[in-house]
Amino acid sequence: MSKALERRAKNRERLIEAAERSIATGGLAGLKTRDLAGELGIANGAVYNLVDDVDELILRVGSRTLARLDAALTAAERDGPADPPDTLVRIAVGYCDFAADNLELWRALFEHRMAPGKTVPDWAVSEQMDLFGHIYRPLAALFPARSPRELSVTARSLFSAVHGMVALGLEHKLIAVPIEGLRSEVATIVRAMVKGLANARS
Amino acid sequence: MSKALERRAKNRERLIEAAERSIATGGLAGLKTRDLAGELGIANGAVYNLVDDVDELILRVGSRTLARLDAALTAAERDGPADPPDTLVRIAVGYCDFAADNLELWRALFEHRMAPGKTVPDWAVSEQMDLFGHIYRPLAALFPARSPRELSVTARSLFSAVHGMVALGLEHKLIAVPIEGLRSEVATIVRAMVKGLANARS
């Protein structure tokens, strides 16, 4: 790699890290490329030699958040008995903890909208979809007779339901729940859903 | 009532209705009091003789949305057998339909943030809380031995879980579901949760 390309790669990484710190502190609304350029000591316009646009910058930060979420869910998966209902409960509580510990970065995953007319690139969609594997695998172990299509629908439903509880619980709007209470509510509801889904077929 | 007070009351109602139409079309982000003043044929500043501030205007629109949601959930409650699990499923599907049919007004309920340092007034909090009664009543019928505190927690969990499924399902982000599929997923998950919650105690 030429010196110039090396410098560009390094600056690109510094830019993404600076954007991550900014979002972690002030949310998506606080992200200003001018401030990031100032922090890196580059011209404002030079930001766009490092990333295509603000959407790409936010998606690259999202990619780092998703990688850490993936690691947290993998740890939750392994942190107890392999019994599928227990595993699903641990993953849901792990999701709750990750959201609470990474509030602004986690919110940014859901609040970010591409500029009008642009779609989320395939690499980002695929990173998001990969995370469903954490829910899909225990469900497949629990319901071996169900088709991949059915399991995907159930995985999506479970995720959305848990996400809703966590999002409203951490929102401090309408519904404000202390984190310990939230963790226990999430665990209760996931356990009930899994039990109910198993009974529905028996 | 004096002529002047009558005129003010009428203009206030027209202002709230104009804000409602604006939010229904362009979301919270598209709401401009200047446009509303133009539509009513009043001076820009005169808006603030009719409502305290933009927060109050948005909350008054929210109050109308909540009243229509309340009517929709009451209809869903009555539109079938009184059996509590069935009733809870109908209420959840009714919530899903209401959100789909009133997308921007429904989103505004959750997206609106008060100006910094201001809190949501009691009348608005109390209107929001009243809606939990739709979930609380069938739960109380289903679980007569549980305390009001336990039932409130369960009602909140069920609401958050259904809200999450509906919000992500209608979001067309990460997870896009056609409305018929979403209705059936919501019904499946609510039925499973209720069944699982009943089994947890038996």
Side-chain angles (χ1 to χ4, degrees):
Chain A
M1 209 191 281
S2 74
K3 286 275 180 201
L5 276 180
E6 261 179 48
R7 196 174 56 233
R8 181 183 175 280
K10 199 169 164 187
N11 270 340
R12 181 176 148 95
E13 204 182 321
R14 288 175 62 216
L15 174 68
I16 295 167
E17 287 168 1
E20 185 178 51
R21 285 191 297 274
S22 166
I23 294 172
T25 311
L28 273 188
L31 187 69
K32 304 271 177 286
T33 52
R34 199 170 36 188
D35 296 347
L36 303 178
E39 199 181 326
L40 267 68
I42 61 175
N44 292 349
V47 164
Y48 301 103
N49 299 329
L50 303 174
V51 288
D52 289 341
D53 49 27
V54 176
D55 281 328
E56 193 202 345
L57 183 56
I58 293 170
L59 288 169
R60 294 291 170 192
V61 172
S63 176
R64 291 168 60 96
T65 309
L66 290 173
R68 290 189 299 113
L69 175 57
D70 186 42
L73 299 184
T74 300
E77 229 171 312
R78 292 177 184 163
D79 185 31
D83 172 58
D86 277 348
T87 306
L88 286 165
V89 168
R90 286 200 307 277
I91 288 168
V93 173
Y95 183 75
C96 178
D97 287 343
F98 183 87
D101 294 343
N102 298 273
L103 196 54
E104 293 293 350
L105 288 167
W106 168 75
R107 277 185 184 152
L109 293 176
F110 293 89
E111 281 175 8
H112 172 234
R113 298 283 172 282
M114 299 292 287
K118 287 186 58 190
T119 54
V120 178
D122 288 345
W123 66 264
V125 172
S126 131
E127 280 181 359
Q128 293 163 355
M129 287 303 146
D130 282 352
L131 282 170
F132 281 94
H134 290 284
I135 312 173
Y136 186 97
R137 286 186 293 271
L139 282 177
L142 196 60
F143 304 123
R146 298 195 190 177
S147 71
R149 160 84 196 133
E150 284 179 295
L151 291 168
S152 295
V153 168
T154 306
R156 184 172 69 191
S157 296
L158 269 178
F159 169 73
S160 304
V162 169
H163 176 79
M165 295 184 66
V166 172
L168 292 188
L170 297 177
E171 182 65 37
H172 299 288
K173 189 182 152 70
L174 275 183
I175 295 172
V177 191
I179 181 74
E180 266 316 307
L182 184 59
R183 298 173 97 240
S184 116
E185 289 178 38
V186 164
T188 302
I189 288 292
V190 170
R191 204 171 288 286
M193 280 193 285
V194 170
K195 189 179 283 204
L197 286 169
N199 283 353
R201 286 295 183 91
S202 67
Chain B
M1 208 191 283
S2 75
K3 285 276 180 200
L5 276 182
E6 261 178 50
R7 195 173 56 232
R8 181 183 175 280
K10 201 170 163 188
N11 271 340
R12 182 177 147 94
E13 204 182 320
R14 287 176 60 215
L15 174 68
I16 295 167
E17 287 168 359
E20 185 178 52
R21 283 191 299 273
S22 165
I23 295 172
T25 310
L28 272 188
L31 187 69
K32 304 272 178 286
T33 52
R34 197 171 36 188
D35 296 346
L36 303 180
E39 199 180 326
L40 267 68
I42 61 175
N44 293 348
V47 163
Y48 302 103
N49 299 329
L50 302 175
V51 288
D52 290 342
D53 49 27
V54 176
D55 281 329
E56 193 204 344
L57 182 56
I58 293 170
L59 288 170
R60 293 293 170 191
V61 172
S63 176
R64 292 168 59 96
T65 309
L66 291 172
R68 288 188 302 115
L69 174 57
D70 186 43
L73 298 184
T74 301
E77 230 171 310
R78 294 178 183 162
D79 185 31
D83 172 59
D86 276 347
T87 305
L88 287 165
V89 169
R90 286 200 307 276
I91 288 167
V93 173
Y95 183 75
C96 178
D97 287 342
F98 183 87
D101 294 342
N102 299 272
L103 197 54
E104 293 294 349
L105 288 166
W106 168 75
R107 277 186 184 150
L109 293 175
F110 294 89
E111 282 174 7
H112 173 234
R113 298 282 172 282
M114 299 293 287
K118 286 185 58 190
T119 54
V120 178
D122 288 344
W123 65 264
V125 171
S126 133
E127 281 181 357
Q128 294 164 354
M129 287 303 146
D130 282 352
L131 281 170
F132 280 95
H134 291 284
I135 313 174
Y136 186 97
R137 286 186 294 270
L139 282 176
L142 195 60
F143 304 122
R146 298 195 189 178
S147 71
R149 160 85 195 133
E150 285 178 293
L151 291 168
S152 296
V153 168
T154 306
R156 184 171 69 191
S157 296
L158 269 178
F159 169 72
S160 305
V162 169
H163 176 79
M165 295 185 66
V166 172
L168 292 188
L170 297 178
E171 182 66 37
H172 299 287
K173 191 183 151 69
L174 275 184
I175 295 171
V177 191
I179 181 74
E180 265 316 306
L182 184 59
R183 299 173 95 238
S184 117
E185 289 178 38
V186 164
T188 302
I189 289 292
V190 169
R191 204 170 288 285
M193 280 193 286
V194 170
K195 188 178 282 202
L197 287 168
N199 283 355
R201 286 294 185 92
S202 67

